[in-house]
Amino acid sequence: MATVKKTPEKKGKFPVDAEKIQRISRRFKGINHERLLRTREAIGERQRAFIDLLPLLFHTNHTLLPGYQSDDTINGIPLYTPDKNSIQVAKKIARGFKYNNKLKNSYDILAIYLMGSSGTIAYTKKSDFDVWICINADIDPGQRKELQRKADDIEEWATTLRLETHFFIMSDEEFRRGELSALSEDSSGTAQYHLLLDEFYRTGLLIAGNPPIWQMIPAEYEEQYEEYKQELIEKRLIELDEFVDFGDLGAFPVGEFFGAALWQLHKGIDSPHKAVLKIMLMETYANAYPKVDLLSLSYKKAVYEGEIDINRLDPYVLMEEKTEQYLKEQGDHDRVELARRCFYYKVDRQLSKTTLNKTWQHKAIKKIAGQWGWGASQFVILDQRSSWKIQQVIEERNSMISSLTQSYQLLSAFAREHADELTIGPEEINLLGRRLYSAFERKAGKIEIVNPSAEIDLSEERLSIHEIQHKSHDGWALYQGYVPSIADSIMSPLKRTRNLLEILAWCYFNRVLNPKATMVSLKPDDCTMDTHELQAIIDGLEHLFPKAKIPPIDMENLARPAHLYKNGIFINVGLDPMHSFTKKGVVLISDRTDSLNFGSRYENLALTFEQVLVTSWQEVLAVKYESYHALARCICDSFSRYPTTEDNIPCTPSCYSFSSKRGNDIAKRVTLLFKEIIKSYYQEDKKPQARYIYQAGKIYYILQPENNLLQYTHSGSFNALLEHLSKPQEVFSPIIIDRYILQDTPLPKIFALNQADHTQVFYQLIKDYAQVYILDEKGSLFHQKIPFHDHSSLLGQLYRFLSNINNRRSFLNQLDSNPPPITEPGFYQVSVNTKNKINVKVQKFNHKRLSKNFLDIQVISDAQDDGQTSFTLYCNKKEFSNIEHGDQLFNSVAQYVLGLRSGGQPYPIHITDIDISNTALAKESKTPLQTVHYLNYKKRIENMLNQALNKL
C-alpha cells in the first residue's frame, strides 16, 4: 500500500489534514486486508495457490511458472514483495525457484485488482475472478499482446485449479480518456463507463501494487477531484507514481443510464437475480438525478466518517439497502420482496439448513433476513428452489421479467428526456436491443425458456397431454401428473397450444420432460397420436438437442441477422398419409416410390411439417405448416434468413416421420430435397438466381429468389409449368430440376445445357410435328409445336428469325457500357432410343446453304393511343397494314403468300423478323426486351396467319 508522506502543511484551497489522510489510507488498507483474508478463507487450498501466486506471476518471469512467455515479457509490480507463502507455492510448481529481489526504477505493471464479489457476502464457490492488470499506457502494442497471452495462459492454469478467471489488461490513463474495449460477453463496452468505475471503486480488491488515488479524495470534493489531487501532490502529501488514477465520479453523465440498463438486461437474461438488483440500482440512481449518490461515494463517505466494519461496508449489502429504500419510497412492496429474494439467492446461504461450520456470510444474511421479518417457513420455500415445480418457476420468472421491463421502461423514458447526452454507441444499442428482443419478445410459435440456467430441476415424474377437438379451438393441453379426463381435472393446464410438437418442445427445453424418466400419458385414448410415435418424437428432440442445451449467444452473432443453429422437421405428426387408401381398400402399386409423387396416382405422402428451430440469437421456435402448399412454405421460411447472394450456408434440417410405415422414406426424401436446394443456391458452384423445380403430388413448385430470398410459385399441370418457365427474367436464371421429376421429358437434359447469353434451340421430331424448345439468353423457355416438313425449313426459319433478333439486340446493347456478348444460336436434336432413354446431341446447321428463295416476312408492332396494337407486315418488301386492310390484315397476307407458292401449297407461314416498339412492349411486360418476347410475338402472329391460311 502506498505511503502518505507527512510534511509541513502549506496553505491551499482545501482543508488538507496530513494526519487524517494517513488515517484514511490505513483504513482503506485495513479493509482491503480483511477482504483479502475472507477471499482466501472462502476458497479451497488448491485455489488459494492462485491468490498467493497471482502477483508473483506478473512480478517475475520464470520458465517453469504458469503463463511464461519470454524473459522480456513486461513484469514487476511496485510496492510488492512476495511473502514466504507465495515463494513456497512457486517452489512447489517450479523446483529450484529462487526469487530475485531486484528493484526497478520504473514499472509497467502498476497494480493487480480483483473485481466483483471477492471477499464480499455475495461470494460463493460458483463465483469467478475478474482480474484487472493495470499497466502504463505507453507500453507498445507488441508488449501488450505478449502480456495478454501470458494472462490467457494463467487463465488456463486456473481452470486446472477449478477456478474460472477473466483477465482484463487495463490502463488508467486510457480509461480516463474513455478508451474501453468493444462490447462483448465479458465487457460492457461504452455502455456503462461510470457505472463500471463505480463498481471498481466499491468492489475492487487490491492484490498487489498501487492503490487508487480516488481513495484520497473526500466524497464531498468529488467534483473538484483534479484540483484536490493536485493540491495533495503540490504539498507533497502523496507521490503520484504510487497510485493508479482511473479518474473521478463527480460528473455522472445522464446518458449512461440507458446504455447501462440495456447492458444489465442483457446480463439478466442468463443471471436474472443478479441483474434485477443492478438494474434496480440504476433506476434508483436515475430517480435521484441530478444529485446521484453513487454507492462508491456512499462507501467512501462511510470510511471517512470512521466506519471500518466490512459487513456494513459490504458493496452488495450497500446495494440491497439502497435499492430497498428507493422501492419503499415508491410504495412498491412487491419489488421490495423481489429485491430481497434476489439478494438472498445471490448470497446463496441456505438458512433453513443447520450447519456446524457456519460462515460469516451465513451469520450476516441471517441477521439481515431477521431485520426483514423473514422466518423459517420463508427460508424453507426459498432453499427448496432447486426443486420448485414449474408453476413456481414461471411465477418467479414472470415477476423478474416484469421488474426488469418496468426498470427498462422507466430508464428508457429517462433516457429519451436526455437523448442528446447518450454515451452508449449506436452499434452497441443495436446489439443489446437485439439481445433483449430475442429473449423477451413474444411471438407466434416462440418457446419461452423459463429456466435458462437449468439450475432448477423441473422434471416431472408424470405428465398428461390431452387432445382438444372443438370446432373453434382444436389443440392440446398439458397437465402435471395423471389426468384421465379434462372434465375430472381440478387444476388448470400448464400449457395450451394448437400443435402437439409445440407442447413437447416447451416441455423438453424447459426440462419439464425428462426423456429417460418422465411418463407421458396421451388422452383421450383414441386421440390422433399414439404413444409409439410420441416417444419417437421425444427421442428425436433429444437427438437433435442433447440435454436441451441451447448454444451460448455471442456479440458476433448479434451483429448480423439471426440464422438457424439447428432445424428439426417432423413430418406428418399424428397423421398417416396412407390411411385414407387403406381404409378404402386401395393398394397403391407402382414402381414410382418417390414419397412426393408416390404410386400411379402421384400421391404426395408428405402432408404436414412441424419444425423446431434454434437460432443464433438463442430463440427456440415451433412452427407448423399444413394445407396444400405446406412443403413449399416450409422450404421458403427455412431459408428466409439466408439471402442467396451471401456466403452464409444454411444448416441441413434433420427430418423425421414416425406416423406410417413409409415414414423413414418420407423423411429421407424431404432431407434430400433440402440438401439439393442448399447445394443449388448456397454451396460451391451455386446459382443464386436459379429457378428450382420440384413436384409434390400433381403440383409443380418453382422456387426462385425475390429480393435475394427464396419464394415459390406453383403450376397445376405440365403445360402450365411450360407457360410459367417462358416468363421473362431480369437476369440470367438457369433452371434446376429435382432429380425425381420430368425424367420422361427432355427438359432435364435441355436445362443442363443452358448457358447465359446464349440462344439455344432444341427440337424433337414426333410423327409429323416438331416439339421445339428454345432457351434464350436469360434462361426463359419458349415452347412450340410446329408441323415438320424438313430440317432445312424448320431450322432455317428459326435461324433467320433468331439472327435478326440478335442483330437488333446487338444494336440496342451498344447503348450499354458493358453489353453482353451476342452469339450465334445453337441447335440440338432430342431423340429417344429403344430403351426410352432421352439423348440430346448438337445439330450441325450450315446457314450458308439456306435457300435464297425463302420468303422474308417482317412484322412491325406498335401501340396506339386507344390502347389497341397496330401491325405492319412486309412480305418480300410488300407492305400490309391495319390502315389499309383493317380486320382483314392477316387474311390479306395469307392470300398473298399462298399466291406466291407453286401449286398453292398450304404449309405453315413463318415470320423471319419482328420489331416491337417500347410502347407495345409496355403492354406485355415490365422487363427489358429479351428473345422470349420476340418468340412469343412470333408464335402468336404465326397462329393468326396460319389460321387465316387454313381458311383459304
Side-chain angles (χ1 to χ4, degrees):
M1 180 68 70
T3 56
V4 179
K5 299 181 180 181
K6 187 173 181 180
T7 59
E9 287 193 23
K10 301 178 182 178
K11 290 183 179 181
K13 181 178 179 180
F14 303 101
V16 178
D17 184 337
E19 291 185 2
K20 183 177 181 180
I21 290 176
Q22 287 184 323
R23 288 197 303 273
I24 295 300
S25 179
R26 287 194 296 269
R27 284 177 197 166
F28 279 113
K29 183 177 180 180
I31 292 166
N32 193 84
H33 179 69
E34 288 193 55
R35 279 189 60 198
L36 266 177
L37 291 177
R38 285 185 167 181
T39 301
R40 293 188 82 259
E41 290 171 3
I43 57 180
E45 185 175 348
R46 289 186 68 202
Q47 288 81 27
R48 287 174 195 152
F50 175 81
I51 296 294
D52 294 335
L53 200 56
L54 179 61
L56 181 58
L57 294 178
F58 287 93
H59 191 63
T60 188
N61 290 317
H62 191 282
T63 56
L64 298 179
L65 289 178
Y68 176 80
Q69 302 297 310
S70 72
D71 289 343
D72 296 326
T73 306
I74 60 172
N75 64 92
I77 306 171
L79 306 176
Y80 170 71
T81 302
D83 56 20
K84 291 182 180 179
N85 189 44
S86 298
I87 293 175
Q88 286 176 354
V89 172
K91 286 182 176 180
K92 287 181 181 180
I93 295 174
R95 292 184 179 182
F97 171 79
K98 291 184 179 180
Y99 173 64
N100 182 10
N101 188 15
K102 184 179 179 180
L103 297 177
K104 289 189 173 187
N105 295 325
S106 62
Y107 295 91
D108 288 319
I109 299 176
L110 304 180
I112 298 179
Y113 287 87
L114 284 180
M115 269 277 287
S117 62
S118 302
T120 73
I121 194 172
Y123 183 81
T124 71
K125 292 182 179 179
K126 299 176 185 177
S127 301
D128 55 4
F129 284 155
D130 286 346
V131 184
W132 282 20
I133 308 296
C134 302
I135 61 170
N136 275 321
D138 56 0
I139 70 168
D140 66 57
Q143 290 177 311
R144 186 176 296 207
K145 286 182 180 178
E146 188 171 61
L147 182 64
Q148 183 64 62
R149 288 195 296 270
K150 179 171 186 172
D152 293 341
D153 288 349
I154 294 173
E155 272 190 28
E156 290 186 19
W157 169 67
T159 61
T160 67
L161 307 177
R162 296 183 180 178
L163 270 180
E164 181 182 353
T165 60
H166 305 282
F167 283 88
F168 300 90
I169 309 298
M170 308 289 289
S171 161
D172 56 353
E173 182 180 331
E174 291 172 353
F175 194 96
R176 291 197 307 273
R177 295 199 299 260
E179 298 173 11
L180 304 185
S181 60
L183 191 66
S184 70
E185 279 299 291
D186 299 311
S187 169
S188 57
T190 62
Q192 44 180 347
Y193 169 89
H194 284 78
L195 290 166
L196 180 63
L197 190 57
D198 174 42
E199 186 176 0
F200 169 70
Y201 283 148
R202 58 189 163 86
T203 71
L205 183 57
L206 180 63
I207 300 297
N210 295 338
I213 201 170
W214 174 84
Q215 294 176 346
M216 300 295 99
I217 315 296
E220 60 266 31
Y221 296 117
E222 193 73 21
E223 294 187 1
Q224 296 165 288
Y225 178 94
E226 288 295 330
E227 296 175 72
Y228 198 101
K229 180 182 71 175
Q230 285 303 123
E231 188 161 320
L232 291 177
I233 294 168
E234 289 171 4
K235 290 184 176 181
R236 301 179 65 187
L237 295 173
I238 62 172
E239 293 290 340
L240 187 59
D241 60 1
E242 292 186 356
F243 294 89
V244 291
D245 184 6
F246 282 94
D248 67 275
L249 289 167
F252 192 98
V254 60
E256 192 170 305
F257 286 116
F258 182 64
L262 286 174
W263 175 253
Q264 290 305 328
L265 278 170
H266 160 65
K267 300 299 286 185
I269 293 167
D270 297 320
S271 303
H273 296 103
K274 180 178 178 180
V276 164
L277 280 175
K278 285 196 172 184
I279 199 169
M280 283 179 176
L281 176 64
M282 286 180 286
E283 189 181 328
T284 304
Y285 285 166
N287 183 68
Y289 186 82
K291 297 182 179 180
V292 181
D293 187 15
L294 295 173
L295 277 181
S296 55
L297 295 178
S298 299
Y299 161 70
K300 182 162 67 171
K301 192 180 299 182
V303 174
Y304 270 75
E305 290 173 356
E307 181 64 76
I308 56 173
D309 182 352
I310 59 173
N311 286 349
R312 290 288 311 121
L313 295 172
D314 189 283
Y316 288 88
V317 172
L318 292 175
M319 179 166 59
E320 195 285 327
E321 289 177 346
K322 193 173 191 68
T323 55
E324 183 172 327
Q325 179 184 355
Y326 159 72
L327 294 171
K328 285 180 177 178
E329 291 172 357
Q330 302 300 312
D332 197 340
H333 301 294
D334 289 340
R335 295 177 80 202
V336 167
E337 285 301 310
L338 176 62
R340 289 172 174 176
R341 291 198 302 274
C342 289
F343 182 72
Y344 185 79
Y345 295 143
K346 177 63 181 172
V347 175
D348 197 21
R349 294 296 186 277
Q350 298 186 347
L351 299 184
S352 64
K353 298 180 179 179
T354 57
T355 57
L356 295 175
N357 300 318
K358 293 182 178 181
T359 63
W360 70 267
Q361 288 119 315
H362 194 106
K363 297 173 183 176
I365 188 61
K366 188 172 185 178
K367 179 179 178 181
I368 293 170
Q371 295 170 352
W372 295 341
W374 282 12
S377 60
Q378 183 95 4
F379 299 143
V380 170
I381 293 172
L382 298 181
D383 292 346
Q384 290 177 348
R385 178 168 163 264
S386 61
S387 57
W388 276 5
K389 295 302 180 183
I390 185 67
Q391 295 99 325
Q392 292 172 288
V393 173
I394 291 174
E395 288 175 10
E396 184 76 350
R397 170 81 171 169
N398 289 341
S399 178
M400 286 189 292
I401 291 176
S402 175
S403 179
L404 289 170
T405 304
Q406 183 176 342
S407 293
Y408 174 69
Q409 289 171 344
L410 289 169
L411 288 164
S412 295
F414 180 80
R416 283 193 295 272
E417 294 177 17
H418 308 275
D420 295 338
E421 303 173 60
L422 290 180
T423 58
I424 183 172
E427 297 85 2
E428 293 168 342
I429 288 179
N430 192 29
L431 290 183
L432 293 175
R434 287 181 179 182
R435 177 71 168 119
L436 301 180
Y437 170 84
S438 66
F440 295 138
E441 184 71 14
R442 288 189 173 95
K443 59 185 177 183
K446 184 174 179 179
I447 304 298
E448 184 181 14
I449 308 300
V450 299
N451 187 24
S453 59
E455 57 186 348
I456 300 175
D457 180 10
L458 296 179
S459 62
E460 295 284 344
E461 291 183 8
R462 190 156 191 175
L463 295 168
S464 295
I465 300 177
H466 286 255
E467 185 175 20
I468 303 168
Q469 294 182 328
H470 191 278
K471 290 182 180 179
S472 60
H473 53 270
D474 287 359
W476 298 82
L478 172 71
Y479 293 87
Q480 286 174 290
Y482 178 68
V483 178
S485 169
I486 294 178
D488 298 332
S489 176
I490 60 174
M491 66 180 74
S492 298
L494 289 175
K495 189 77 175 171
R496 292 181 188 270
T497 63
R498 294 187 63 85
N499 308 314
L500 175 61
L501 192 63
E502 188 175 345
I503 273 187
L504 294 177
W506 184 85
C507 289
Y508 182 72
F509 282 100
N510 283 302
R511 298 172 174 83
V512 176
L513 187 158
N514 182 333
K516 306 301 182 187
T518 304
M519 181 181 294
V520 183
S521 299
L522 281 169
K523 296 294 176 180
D525 294 334
D526 61 347
C527 71
T528 54
M529 173 69 63
D530 61 42
T531 55
H532 169 76
E533 184 180 357
L534 178 74
Q535 187 58 51
I537 292 173
I538 294 170
D539 293 342
L541 288 172
E542 188 176 24
H543 179 262
L544 267 171
F545 312 101
K547 298 182 180 179
K549 288 186 177 179
I550 302 172
I553 201 166
D554 59 43
M555 292 299 166
E556 185 178 343
N557 278 330
L558 285 176
R560 58 191 185 199
H563 61 271
L564 296 185
Y565 168 72
K566 277 191 178 178
N567 179 2
I569 301 179
F570 294 81
I571 306 165
N572 298 336
V573 173
L575 174 66
D576 182 356
M578 309 291 288
H579 176 71
S580 61
F581 302 104
T582 306
K583 189 175 180 181
K584 295 176 183 177
V586 176
V587 179
L588 299 177
I589 299 175
S590 171
D591 58 357
R592 185 181 294 277
T593 58
D594 178 10
S595 297
L596 298 182
N597 303 280
F598 186 77
S600 60
R601 296 182 177 218
Y602 291 82
E603 295 293 339
N604 175 21
L605 303 184
L607 301 176
T608 67
F609 303 83
E610 298 191 42
Q611 281 184 295
V612 177
L613 312 168
V614 174
T615 75
S616 57
W617 288 7
Q618 274 192 333
E619 292 178 299
V620 181
L621 305 169
V623 189
K624 183 173 182 177
Y625 302 90
E626 51 189 346
S627 79
Y628 218 49
H629 308 305
L631 177 55
R633 291 191 294 115
C634 179
I635 289 170
C636 292
D637 283 359
S638 295
F639 297 116
S640 63
R641 297 171 174 84
Y642 298 90
T644 57
T645 52
E646 296 182 3
D647 294 330
N648 197 9
I649 300 176
C651 61
T652 301
S654 299
C655 298
Y656 304 90
S657 184
F658 307 111
S659 61
S660 73
K661 292 180 180 179
R662 301 202 64 86
N664 190 47
D665 293 335
I666 294 170
K668 286 182 178 178
R669 176 66 177 96
V670 175
T671 301
L672 179 61
L673 179 60
F674 270 89
K675 285 182 177 179
E676 290 297 318
I677 293 170
I678 292 170
K679 178 182 177 182
S680 300
Y681 288 103
Y682 301 99
Q683 293 179 336
E684 291 184 14
D685 301 324
K686 64 183 181 179
K687 300 175 178 64
Q689 299 298 333
R691 288 163 285 173
Y692 188 100
I693 306 171
Y694 74 92
Q695 187 176 357
K698 297 179 178 64
I699 306 296
Y700 294 97
Y701 290 90
I702 305 97
L703 302 175
Q704 185 172 17
E706 185 177 314
N707 296 324
N708 299 322
L709 295 177
L710 286 185
Q711 304 293 334
Y712 77 92
T713 53
H714 58 89
S715 298
S717 67
F718 179 70
N719 287 334
L721 174 65
L722 292 178
E723 181 68 25
H724 180 85
L725 296 180
S726 72
K727 291 183 177 180
Q729 303 296 312
E730 291 186 5
V731 295
F732 175 64
S733 177
I735 295 171
I736 303 168
I737 296 181
D738 183 80
R739 66 176 68 179
Y740 285 92
I741 69 168
L742 300 175
Q743 295 303 308
D744 55 349
T745 77
L747 293 186
K749 297 276 188 180
I750 289 173
F751 292 130
L753 295 171
N754 194 195
Q755 299 179 58
D757 300 319
H758 284 67
T759 304
Q760 297 163 287
V761 179
F762 301 83
Y763 68 98
Q764 180 181 6
L765 301 181
I766 304 174
K767 295 182 179 179
D768 297 333
Y769 287 88
Q771 293 283 4
V772 176
Y773 303 91
I774 301 177
L775 285 172
D776 79 356
E777 65 280 1
K778 291 185 179 178
S780 296
L781 176 70
F782 172 81
H783 170 254
Q784 187 176 15
K785 184 179 179 181
I786 301 175
F788 179 74
H789 180 64
D790 57 49
H791 282 83
S792 179
S793 299
L794 174 67
L795 303 186
Q797 60 94 4
L798 288 172
Y799 177 82
R800 277 189 171 90
F801 181 83
L802 294 173
S803 295
N804 287 330
I805 297 306
N806 279 347
N807 290 335
R808 183 166 285 104
R809 287 179 52 233
S810 178
F811 172 75
L812 293 174
N813 287 344
Q814 290 177 7
L815 302 176
D816 295 341
S817 58
N818 186 25
I822 302 297
T823 59
E824 285 281 300
F827 292 88
Y828 306 79
Q829 184 172 2
V830 179
S831 61
V832 182
N833 64 20
T834 55
K835 296 181 180 180
N836 289 324
K837 182 178 179 181
I838 297 174
N839 296 308
V840 178
K841 67 176 182 179
V842 175
Q843 179 67 43
K844 294 182 179 179
F845 178 69
N846 190 347
H847 64 86
K848 295 180 180 179
R849 294 184 179 180
L850 285 175
S851 172
K852 295 182 179 179
N853 296 324
F854 201 91
L855 180 64
D856 279 324
I857 301 178
Q858 183 185 25
V859 178
I860 308 296
S861 174
D862 197 4
Q864 302 302 309
D865 293 339
D866 59 2
Q868 298 298 313
T869 301
S870 68
F871 294 100
T872 302
L873 280 75
Y874 293 89
C875 300
N876 282 352
K877 299 182 181 180
K878 181 175 176 58
E879 180 179 329
F880 297 83
S881 68
N882 292 111
I883 298 174
E884 180 182 358
H885 298 280
D887 294 342
Q888 297 302 308
L889 172 64
F890 295 108
N891 289 330
S892 300
V893 174
Q895 192 167 19
Y896 175 76
V897 171
L898 191 61
L900 294 175
R901 293 175 177 174
S902 59
Q905 296 176 354
Y907 51 83
I909 300 172
H910 295 294
I911 295 168
T912 57
D913 193 12
I914 288 181
D915 186 9
I916 311 172
S917 71
N918 290 334
T919 309
L921 177 66
K923 292 175 57 181
E924 305 291 332
S925 174
K926 295 181 180 179
T927 61
L929 272 175
Q930 63 186 81
T931 301
V932 76
H933 285 110
Y934 296 103
L935 287 168
N936 285 327
Y937 252 75
K938 176 182 187 291
K939 180 178 179 180
R940 193 166 68 195
I941 296 172
E942 283 179 350
N943 284 340
M944 290 188 286
L945 283 172
N946 288 314
Q947 286 174 11
L949 180 67
N950 291 332
K951 292 177 181 179
L952 295 177

